[in-house]
Amino acid sequence: MHTYRVAQVTSPSGPFEVVEREVPRPGPRHVRLAVEACGICHSDDAFVTGSMPNTRFPLVPGHEVAGRIEELGEGAETFGWKAGDRVTVGWFGGSCWHCAACRRGDFIVCENLKIPGYAYDGGYSENMIAPVDALARIPDALPAADAGPMACAGVTTYNGLRRSSAQPDDRVAVVGLGGLGHLAVQFAVAMGFETVAVARGSEKAELATRLGAHHYIDSTGATPVAEALQALGGVKVVLATAGNSAAITATVDGLTSRGELVVIGVSPEPLAITPLQLILPGRVVRGHPSGTAQDVQDTMDFSALHGIRPMVETVPLSEVDSAYQRMLSGAARFRMVLTNV
């Protein structure tokens, strides 16, 4: 019997344990991956804690997966995949193809979105089964540990910017310099935006400059963030990557007329925005989901072309529990990545 290792939790908020399972066979239009790397995303905690409705245990999280196709199920080859292909599987882990959103071609907001680590076992593992519509091809220039985070953190920030109303030479602000924000700044600069990084503490100015930001605003400084943004001339788009509603709200009056607040940082607290702040200047507030497998592939191709990489800390699968706790504590700089190679 051939076996593989998975890191699972058996109850809500329980500790991780590494166990062996029998190697599965992929079903129709599915493939089995040899997982080489998997990023640890803060969103995984919604599943590990059982906060998401209908979470099933034991649970194998992980939706920033990079690996190679080991075996194809029936019909998978008709989608152009073959054994040995390097692929990622991200937050978009497949769609139902039959809900209203899917029938309109808007697969990322599928009513039955198949999130890895929730709909099926994720990438905290040595092997993984995934549907073919979840696969994105990894460029040769990207190692697995860099490609995995691009399937969630990368595509979310890249898509959030390229689908915003900003045009090259427009001024944009990225709020937060964490796992999402440090990628967003790099993407914004490469897209030709005048880029403003907003974060807590003067010590982050050096990081912002190193990532390519043209300006840095310390949100704990004496000048309110909105005033500091307006002193630069205002910003066309704010990409809010920080999971802090107060920090997001503080940027609204820094937007230009017809400016756009794009929210990707998750927080349970409401945004304290008045209708007056939006109506007179014609501002827009929009939530932005991640992206499809094609969007992930676009993200990786763009990153390979422009030399954009996530800042990662790699650890073996056997050290999953300590790596997960490091992510939760906020100490990771900036993505913890489990590796099997």
Side-chain angles (χ1 to χ4, degrees):
M1 180 180 72
H2 298 291
T3 63
Y4 71 109
R5 296 183 305 154
V6 304
Q8 65 178 25
V9 288
T10 59
S11 60
S13 300
F16 281 92
E17 57 181 22
V18 178
V19 300
E20 291 196 359
R21 296 182 180 177
E22 186 175 356
V23 174
R25 299 292 303 274
R29 297 195 301 189
H30 284 67
V31 300
R32 185 179 73 242
L33 306 181
V35 177
E36 296 178 349
C38 183
I40 299 178
C41 178
H42 202 283
S43 299
D44 290 335
D45 203 49
F47 311 121
V48 171
T49 59
S51 301
M52 288 287 283
N54 305 314
T55 303
R56 299 182 298 273
F57 294 89
L59 176 88
V60 180
H63 59 265
E64 292 187 344
V65 188
R68 295 180 185 270
I69 296 177
E70 275 193 333
E71 184 180 1
L72 288 80
E74 180 184 356
E77 72 283 351
T78 63
F79 291 83
W81 301 107
K82 64 181 185 302
D85 284 346
R86 300 179 67 230
V87 296
T88 63
V89 179
W91 178 266
F92 178 83
S95 55
C96 71
W97 299 9
H98 61 75
C99 71
C102 286
R103 286 168 61 84
R104 295 187 183 102
D106 198 359
F107 299 106
I108 189 57
V109 290
C110 170
E111 296 171 15
N112 307 291
L113 187 66
K114 301 172 185 175
I115 304 168
Y118 180 60
Y120 54 87
D121 286 347
Y124 291 20
S125 176
E126 292 177 329
N127 286 113
M128 175 180 166
I129 302 291
V132 290
D133 61 321
L135 305 179
R137 195 177 303 277
I138 301 174
D140 292 341
L142 284 185
D146 289 345
M150 290 298 182
C152 179
V155 68
T156 303
T157 51
Y158 175 76
N159 251 6
L161 287 167
R162 73 166 174 169
R163 301 194 187 284
S164 75
S165 58
Q167 300 294 314
D169 294 330
D170 279 343
R171 191 177 302 111
V172 304
V174 175
V175 180
L177 276 180
L180 294 170
H182 87 285
L183 284 168
V185 168
Q186 295 178 74
F187 286 133
V189 172
M191 289 176 182
F193 302 137
E194 182 182 342
T195 304
V196 186
V198 181
R200 293 176 58 86
S202 59
E203 70 280 358
K204 292 182 180 176
E206 186 275 332
L207 172 62
T209 300
R210 182 152 44 96
L211 294 170
H214 302 98
H215 311 278
Y216 178 73
I217 294 174
D218 175 7
S219 62
T220 65
T223 304
V225 170
E227 287 186 26
L229 291 172
Q230 288 295 349
L232 295 172
V235 292
K236 180 67 174 178
V237 167
V238 169
L239 184 70
T241 73
N244 183 311
S245 293
I248 296 171
T249 299
T251 68
V252 173
D253 287 332
L255 288 165
T256 62
S257 58
R258 302 292 181 186
E260 182 181 27
L261 171 61
V262 181
V263 181
I264 61 176
V266 178
S267 170
E269 301 300 325
L271 297 175
I273 300 172
T274 68
L276 200 59
Q277 288 176 284
L278 304 178
I279 293 171
L280 293 181
R283 293 171 178 146
V284 173
V285 179
R286 179 169 62 85
H288 172 72
S290 180
T292 65
Q294 183 60 56
D295 293 325
V296 174
Q297 195 160 316
D298 293 346
T299 302
M300 292 190 292
D301 288 343
F302 186 88
S303 300
L305 181 64
H306 292 278
I308 296 170
R309 300 291 185 273
M311 298 171 67
V312 302
E313 298 181 38
T314 59
V315 294
L317 182 66
S318 58
E319 297 179 19
V320 57
D321 206 67
S322 61
Y324 193 83
Q325 295 305 318
R326 183 167 172 79
M327 177 279 295
L328 282 182
S329 72
R333 292 294 179 266
F334 282 101
R335 219 56 171 179
M336 301 303 299
V337 178
L338 303 173
T339 61
N340 293 313
V341 292

